[in-house]
Amino acid sequence: MSTMKLVAVSGGLGHPSRAAVLAKAITEAIVARMPIDAHAISVADLVQDLAGVVSAKSAPASVSEAVTRIETADALVVTTPVYRGSYTGLFKHLFDLVHHEALIGKPVLLAATGGSDRHSLVIDHQLRPLFAFFQSLTLPLGVYANDSDFSNYEVSSDALKERIQLAIESGIGYLELRG
């Protein structure tokens, strides 16, 4: 059995980022369950190069590498902060550059962060439709975290840690099939 290639994409636009911290926590929890080759992509690291890109063919090397990693991954963890009820614009722009058939059938664990629980439906109302377009296999449970789940940009909430474990437990079979 080969090692699964997992790419964690965080859509936060700055450093530090709760979305990046959440992606890291989810990735570490998956690593604890199964052997994976994990790679993290942060939209914050691509802001300067990504903003003016109009096609994947004309993208700077940093953006092309990110798109290639996303397209060739066996599975994805995607996290985004919630801005005005949705994912960040540059997060969406990055996925606009991904080939529309590259993610067919790939497992995707969806996650988001927001200032309060009122934004938790972003996973089902924004992220699931985006990855349905790609015909991805979104895992049954997403992970939502609000500001109170973090202290000093570290996961501090036992409830969030439990939600991460539950999401992985409910989706591990899909991940093992890809690995």
Side-chain angles (χ1 to χ4, degrees):
M1 183 160 111
S2 64
T3 302
M4 180 179 69
K5 292 189 307 184
L6 178 84
V7 173
V9 181
S10 60
L13 302 179
H15 293 294
S17 163
R18 287 180 189 89
V21 168
L22 182 57
K24 180 180 176 191
I26 293 168
T27 300
E28 288 173 351
I30 295 170
V31 167
R33 293 287 308 265
M34 61 187 295
I36 63 168
D37 175 16
H39 183 80
I41 295 172
S42 173
V43 170
D45 294 335
L46 300 172
V47 168
Q48 296 299 319
D49 292 338
L50 184 59
V53 176
V54 293
S55 79
K57 292 178 182 175
S58 64
S62 63
V63 174
S64 291
E65 180 184 331
V67 169
T68 298
R69 283 189 184 274
I70 291 167
E71 290 178 343
T72 60
D74 295 313
L76 299 173
V77 169
V78 296
T79 64
T80 183
V82 178
Y83 288 148
R84 301 185 187 244
S86 189
Y87 36 72
T88 63
L90 286 176
F91 171 87
K92 172 64 166 64
H93 187 53
L94 176 61
F95 280 95
D96 286 341
L97 301 173
V98 172
H99 190 275
H100 66 279
E101 294 178 338
L103 304 180
I104 293 174
K106 290 187 183 182
V108 180
L109 194 153
L110 306 172
T113 62
S116 72
D117 288 340
R118 70 181 185 185
H119 297 297
S120 63
L121 289 176
V122 73
I123 292 171
D124 291 323
H125 291 262
Q126 299 292 320
L127 289 171
R128 282 194 199 283
L130 173 61
F131 289 95
F133 165 80
F134 285 110
Q135 301 177 60
S136 300
L137 177 63
T138 56
L139 298 186
L141 294 177
V143 177
Y144 180 79
N146 68 40
D147 289 351
S148 67
D149 290 316
F150 300 91
S151 295
N152 298 318
Y153 289 93
E154 293 294 328
V155 173
S156 60
S157 162
D158 288 337
L160 175 56
K161 292 173 187 174
E162 289 174 15
R163 290 194 302 275
I164 291 169
Q165 290 302 321
L166 183 60
I168 292 168
E169 186 64 36
S170 71
I172 196 75
Y174 302 103
L175 296 174
E176 290 172 339
L177 288 174
R178 293 301 290 205

